[in-house]
Amino acid sequence: MYLCQIMKRVLIITYYWPPAGGSGVQRWVKFAKYLPSLGWQPVVYTPENPDLGSIDESLLKEIPHEAEIIKRPICEPYGIYRKLTGSKGQIKVEANPGNGGKGSFLKKVSLWIRSNFFMPDPRCLWIRPSVRFLKKYLKEHPVDVIVSTGPPQSMHLIARKVSLATGIPWVADFRDPWTRIFYFKHLKLSKWASKKHHQLEQKVLDDATAVVAVSPLVQNDFAQMTSTPVHLVTNGYDESDYLENVTFDGNFNVVHTGLLTAEGNPVELWKALGRKCQDDRSFSEKFRLILAGKTDETVLDSIREAGLSDHLTDHGYIDHGKAVLLQRTASVLILPIREEPETKAILPGKLFEYLAARRPVLGVGTGEGAMAAVLQETQAGKIFDWDDSAGISEYVDCLWETFRSGNEAVFEADIEMYSRRMTTRKMVEIFNTLIYENSAFRG
């Protein structure tokens, strides 16, 4: 108890929290895990009844005992959506919300309503009650810094109102861009709604005490939009996830973990692997294609069309620890980036886990983006354009020959800067600066 009393306190406003699974939850669960060792107590404000796309009970053990968790009910329109569309259980959470515009007339209408009436997203109904609750809570349980993490961007609007009302310094953490995210243009927005999004984004950027981006290109974009200091704190890997010894099964395992969408479908890779199976019997006998996570049916169709059905193991969603083990026993790790200009700025969270796995990465996307820069810096793998069939095939051949020689390709680059301990230190440096500046301003 005494330890918590002498700690500084940070209020973290987040929609995603264990037992939620997926990439959206891991960033702040890992920050929270290491904050107490740096003198900060995490106070997490999160929905009591969120609509979750996946569950990962294993992440509950990552929450430090010093953390204070505050859960409050949230009202969301997804229940009405399920009734209208006849969906049962949880709705399918799309990586690209614009996909809701494909299919039935009712789904198209639902997307239009979602895009134009729920600003900035369907969690907006939680803003007003959350602000009311937090203003009262903070009078009795003060904190030193507020953090909001989005998407959903409604979390930033909660933090903005609370910070303006209390004067507490506020960090707006953007795991993804807002109006420059790849699916924004697919949301069927009216001119009024698009303008409203841009206005809300600008208010968040201007009123935050500090802004945090997860990639250098997004950092640069935000820095051009506001005078608020914009910091870079990437995602990372947790060293404690990589302590267990692993054994290889003797197969040439091509592995992808996480969400694999139609927009990021590496068709030329599937074709190259299919040709390799036809041309090289020894490869066909050892080759395994392993997917772990949510995979779009369009991607699975492409894999079947390439003749890889007999080589495919699709685990579906598995807990984070099991996904890390798959990464570490891979012969090749697949990392496609969606074929959209906006995705050049993205540094996917799984990239850093792939680096920690020390397995070669085969990226598909563009050689000019943020991901390509990290792969080049670490020499962890290669990235190929979407239509570079020859380059992809040549790289697969090279890795296969390394495998046949009895070796498993590894790389030894220094990646400590991307460890969760180091990224948490960067975040704490921002907190401490804000406290110092806030006390100096008041003094």
Side-chain angles (χ1 to χ4, degrees):
M1 182 67 182
Y2 177 71
L3 181 62
C4 289
Q5 289 177 342
I6 64 173
M7 283 185 176
K8 295 186 275 296
R9 286 162 50 89
V10 53
L11 173 64
I12 303 164
I13 302 173
T14 178
Y15 183 84
Y16 297 106
W17 193 252
S23 58
V25 69
Q26 291 174 26
R27 179 171 171 86
W28 277 95
V29 169
K30 295 296 188 178
F31 281 144
K33 177 180 178 178
Y34 290 109
L35 281 172
S37 66
L38 298 171
W40 284 82
Q41 180 191 14
V43 181
V44 180
Y45 179 73
T46 193
E48 184 178 82
N49 53 321
D51 236 311
L52 302 177
S54 56
I55 303 295
D56 188 345
E57 299 280 353
S58 71
L59 292 176
L60 290 168
K61 71 178 184 294
E62 303 285 343
I63 303 172
H65 66 85
E66 296 92 344
E68 178 183 341
I69 313 299
I70 306 167
K71 294 188 175 184
R72 298 283 294 173
I74 185 172
C75 176
E76 300 186 70
Y78 288 124
I80 300 173
Y81 176 88
R82 281 193 292 267
K83 290 180 180 179
L84 290 173
T85 60
S87 303
K88 296 181 179 180
Q90 291 179 321
I91 66 166
K92 179 182 178 182
V93 178
E94 298 278 5
N96 178 356
N99 287 342
K102 301 175 183 178
S104 70
F105 173 76
L106 184 56
K107 286 187 176 181
K108 292 178 180 179
V109 171
S110 298
L111 173 66
W112 189 86
I113 293 174
R114 172 240 187 267
S115 300
N116 292 281
F117 286 89
F118 295 95
M119 286 286 176
D121 50 61
R123 279 81 191 205
C124 62
L125 300 178
W126 204 45
I127 296 173
R128 182 174 294 180
S130 293
V131 172
R132 185 167 56 246
F133 170 81
L134 288 173
K135 287 197 300 187
K136 180 179 179 182
Y137 168 85
L138 291 172
K139 288 181 180 178
E140 302 171 0
H141 309 87
V143 300
D144 300 278
V145 172
I146 298 170
V147 170
S148 55
T149 180
Q153 314 299 2
S154 288
M155 304 303 105
H156 296 314
L157 300 187
I158 295 171
R160 175 178 176 268
K161 289 179 178 292
V162 174
S163 176
L164 289 174
T166 62
I168 300 172
W170 159 42
V171 178
D173 177 60
F174 284 87
R175 301 191 316 276
D176 285 311
W178 188 329
T179 59
R180 301 190 186 191
I181 197 167
F182 73 96
Y183 59 70
F184 185 78
K185 61 188 177 186
H186 300 305
L187 289 178
K188 312 298 182 186
L189 295 169
S190 65
K191 289 184 179 179
W192 173 86
S194 179
K195 182 179 179 181
K196 184 67 174 178
H197 270 284
H198 284 86
Q199 289 174 339
L200 291 173
E201 178 185 39
Q202 195 64 53
K203 286 181 179 179
V204 168
L205 293 175
D206 290 343
D207 291 340
T209 320
V211 173
V212 171
V214 299
S215 92
L217 297 179
V218 175
Q219 179 191 23
N220 291 338
D221 282 346
F222 282 153
Q224 293 175 18
M225 296 171 64
T226 183
S227 60
T228 302
V230 182
H231 304 270
L232 173 66
V233 183
T234 67
N235 286 308
Y237 69 93
D238 190 347
E239 295 161 305
S240 66
D241 291 338
Y242 297 83
L243 300 177
E244 184 178 343
N245 291 328
V246 297
T247 57
F248 297 96
D249 63 7
N251 292 315
F252 185 77
N253 295 320
V254 178
V255 175
H256 179 273
T257 61
L259 193 65
L260 190 50
T261 67
E263 293 83 3
N265 184 10
V267 175
E268 291 303 320
L269 172 60
W270 310 141
K271 291 179 180 179
L273 292 170
R275 289 192 298 270
K276 185 71 174 174
C277 286
Q278 291 177 346
D279 297 340
D280 188 335
R281 183 174 180 179
S282 61
F283 177 85
S284 181
E285 290 173 350
K286 289 291 185 180
F287 163 60
R288 304 289 184 273
L289 176 59
I290 302 173
L291 307 180
K294 293 188 174 183
T295 302
D296 194 287
E297 192 62 34
T298 302
V299 178
L300 295 175
D301 288 341
S302 296
I303 292 171
R304 298 183 191 108
E305 290 172 6
L308 301 178
S309 297
D310 293 340
H311 302 273
L312 173 65
T313 300
D314 182 7
H315 290 287
Y317 187 84
I318 60 177
D319 70 49
H320 182 247
K322 293 178 180 177
V324 167
L325 285 177
L326 277 180
Q327 294 166 5
R328 297 177 67 197
T329 56
S331 302
V332 188
L333 289 164
I334 307 171
L335 189 54
I337 290 290
R338 288 175 285 268
E339 196 172 5
E340 301 269 354
E342 296 88 347
T343 60
K344 289 182 180 181
I346 293 177
L347 275 178
K350 81 183 78 173
L351 168 62
F352 303 102
E353 294 185 344
Y354 280 12
L355 296 181
R358 302 289 182 177
R359 317 309 302 150
V361 178
L362 194 164
V364 184
T366 173
E368 300 176 352
M371 185 179 84
V374 173
L375 288 179
Q376 183 176 2
E377 172 195 357
T378 59
Q379 296 295 298
K382 294 185 178 181
I383 186 167
F384 302 90
D385 290 336
W386 282 93
D387 57 356
D388 189 1
S389 178
I392 292 171
S393 295
E394 183 178 349
Y395 190 49
V396 170
D397 288 343
C398 178
L399 294 172
W400 167 242
E401 290 305 319
T402 301
F403 173 85
R404 288 185 66 186
S405 69
N407 298 313
E408 285 288 347
V410 296
F411 68 96
E412 302 296 338
D414 181 8
I415 59 172
E416 185 182 6
M417 71 183 80
Y418 299 123
S419 72
R420 294 290 188 182
R421 289 183 186 274
M422 293 301 292
T423 56
T424 306
R425 286 184 182 277
K426 288 183 179 181
M427 191 64 73
V428 164
E429 288 174 4
I430 297 170
F431 296 169
N432 289 336
T433 299
L434 295 187
I435 289 178
Y436 174 78
E437 291 177 349
N438 191 51
S439 61
F441 174 77
R442 293 187 175 185

